[in-house]
Amino acid sequence: MHLSRRGLLYGSAGAAAVSLAGCGAGEESASLTGFTGISMPTDTSERWVIEGKALESNLKGLGYDVIHQNAKDVVEDQIAQIQSMVDEGVEFLVIAAIDNTSLGQVLADAKDKGVTVIAYDRLILETPDVDFYASFDNYQVGVLQATHIIDRLGMRDNPGPFNIELFSGDLGDNNSQYFFMGGLDTLESFIYEGKVLIPSGQTEQEPTATAGWSGDAAQTRMSDLLGEFYDDDETELHAVLSPYDGISRGVVAALVDADYEPGTGGFPVVTGQDAEAASVKAIKDGTGQTETVFKDTRQLAHTVTGMVKAIVDGGDPEVNDLGTYDNGFKFVPSLLLEPVDVTADNYKEVIVDSEYLTEEQIDAGEA
Ligand code: BGC
């Protein structure tokens, strides 16, 4: 694990920039044109498609050339795409990795050619050749999800016990452990007290993991858990800690199959992440999950564009954390933004008023 159990070093995103004097990024600026390769991991989740386009248009808006590719969940394709970007002569790589330990060799080649490497949202591990990391406070994502469960079930004032099951993300994604640990740490005291029970006994990252962040895989696991541990009249499920909206919708489908009725008091509390339109619709209508964590990915794309521009202009990118994200070689200088908890009470203000999604997109369940 690369995670320090306690939170992060900084106060709020956008707070005082930490100077990176001596990183040398600016030294080569005279000859830089901003030519950037963007490598996105999947097109099955809305955010990566939207952000790929946003990054491309931001960078092109500055007059920089861009190669933008999406590797559609195939690790070998991502490596090949990045290699061809390096061969084309990009000066910057902005990469959201499918598998965080698969890029060492291609990044070594990129580094030999002087490319600046920015890990986009997902930290790239086990290589010295990552220069910067831009993401959200991933530990806090899990804290928000677990806090929603605690509040919604009234756990502080109610003796319980509450039956909860845990889901985590893909094991090849470094973020998964942060989401999971943030959630588990927040539930920990209730677990020790005996207020929270986890009938499956699956409390480690590995058995709770969801390969490829797949909703179908989550649905299968949830159905299996219901069949094995809740198949009597007494054991009721009260909540599911789910790290991502696609997983949450799979979980909800399994619950509906097992005759839990959405919108009723007996339907388990289900969390999520990413404010995908279909999930915000369920939150708004009360037909499934009750929470998502919104990460304003427009802000992330903007931040990364600013990092590239700062280097092209001969300066240092702004970062706000130097001591949390250890990639196995070093603490990668990071810029972390704040995630926001979204429920039926504030979706309008957070999601619609900020123009992330329109009410029409939410009602259609599609962005
Ligand atoms: C991202 C999440 C996303 C997940 C699945 C993670 O790396 O941080 O926002 O839900 O990947 O795409």
Side-chain angles (χ1 to χ4, degrees), residues 155 157-162 194-195:
M155 245 187 231
D157 308 319
N158 196 320
F162 300 98
K195 256 194 194 184

Tab-separated table of all heavy atoms in Angstrom, residues 155 157-162 194-195:
chain	number	residue	atom	x	y	z
A	155	MET	N	-26.903	6.469	12.312
A	155	MET	CA	-26.110	5.510	13.083
A	155	MET	C	-25.632	6.026	14.442
A	155	MET	O	-25.417	5.244	15.361
A	155	MET	CB	-24.882	5.144	12.253
A	155	MET	CG	-24.861	3.714	11.833
A	155	MET	SD	-23.271	3.489	11.071
A	155	MET	CE	-23.784	2.770	9.586
A	157	ASP	N	-27.279	7.804	16.557
A	157	ASP	CA	-28.325	7.804	17.592
A	157	ASP	C	-29.100	6.507	17.652
A	157	ASP	O	-30.045	6.383	18.429
A	157	ASP	CB	-29.361	8.909	17.283
A	157	ASP	CG	-28.689	10.228	17.059
A	157	ASP	OD1	-27.753	10.523	17.806
A	157	ASP	OD2	-29.082	10.934	16.098
A	158	ASN	N	-28.772	5.588	16.816
A	158	ASN	CA	-29.580	4.388	16.689
A	158	ASN	C	-28.711	3.181	17.040
A	158	ASN	O	-27.591	3.086	16.545
A	158	ASN	CB	-30.033	4.332	15.216
A	158	ASN	CG	-31.160	3.386	14.997
A	158	ASN	OD1	-31.169	2.300	15.582
A	158	ASN	ND2	-32.086	3.768	14.146
A	159	PRO	N	-29.182	2.278	17.891
A	159	PRO	CA	-28.311	1.187	18.341
A	159	PRO	C	-27.966	0.161	17.254
A	159	PRO	O	-26.988	-0.555	17.384
A	159	PRO	CB	-29.135	0.506	19.443
A	159	PRO	CG	-30.551	0.903	19.175
A	159	PRO	CD	-30.512	2.242	18.504
A	160	GLY	N	-28.766	0.123	16.182
A	160	GLY	CA	-28.458	-0.875	15.146
A	160	GLY	C	-28.758	-2.274	15.617
A	160	GLY	O	-29.685	-2.444	16.407
A	161	PRO	N	-28.033	-3.303	15.277
A	161	PRO	CA	-26.888	-3.225	14.364
A	161	PRO	C	-27.321	-3.080	12.903
A	161	PRO	O	-28.427	-3.455	12.538
A	161	PRO	CB	-26.178	-4.557	14.581
A	161	PRO	CG	-27.243	-5.494	15.017
A	161	PRO	CD	-28.259	-4.677	15.761
A	162	PHE	N	-26.399	-2.515	12.113
A	162	PHE	CA	-26.645	-2.298	10.698
A	162	PHE	C	-25.777	-3.249	9.879
A	162	PHE	O	-24.584	-3.371	10.125
A	162	PHE	CB	-26.288	-0.856	10.332
A	162	PHE	CG	-27.097	0.154	11.088
A	162	PHE	CD1	-26.570	0.765	12.220
A	162	PHE	CD2	-28.388	0.473	10.696
A	162	PHE	CE1	-27.318	1.689	12.937
A	162	PHE	CE2	-29.146	1.396	11.401
A	162	PHE	CZ	-28.614	2.007	12.526
A	194	GLY	N	-19.559	-2.696	17.205
A	194	GLY	CA	-20.550	-3.736	16.906
A	194	GLY	C	-21.835	-3.167	16.330
A	194	GLY	O	-22.812	-3.883	16.136
A	195	LYS	N	-21.836	-1.867	16.028
A	195	LYS	CA	-23.035	-1.263	15.433
A	195	LYS	C	-23.131	-1.602	13.951
A	195	LYS	O	-24.205	-1.652	13.376
A	195	LYS	CB	-22.973	0.259	15.562
A	195	LYS	CG	-23.862	0.817	16.636
A	195	LYS	CD	-24.002	2.316	16.469
A	195	LYS	CE	-24.591	2.899	17.730
A	195	LYS	NZ	-24.837	4.337	17.613
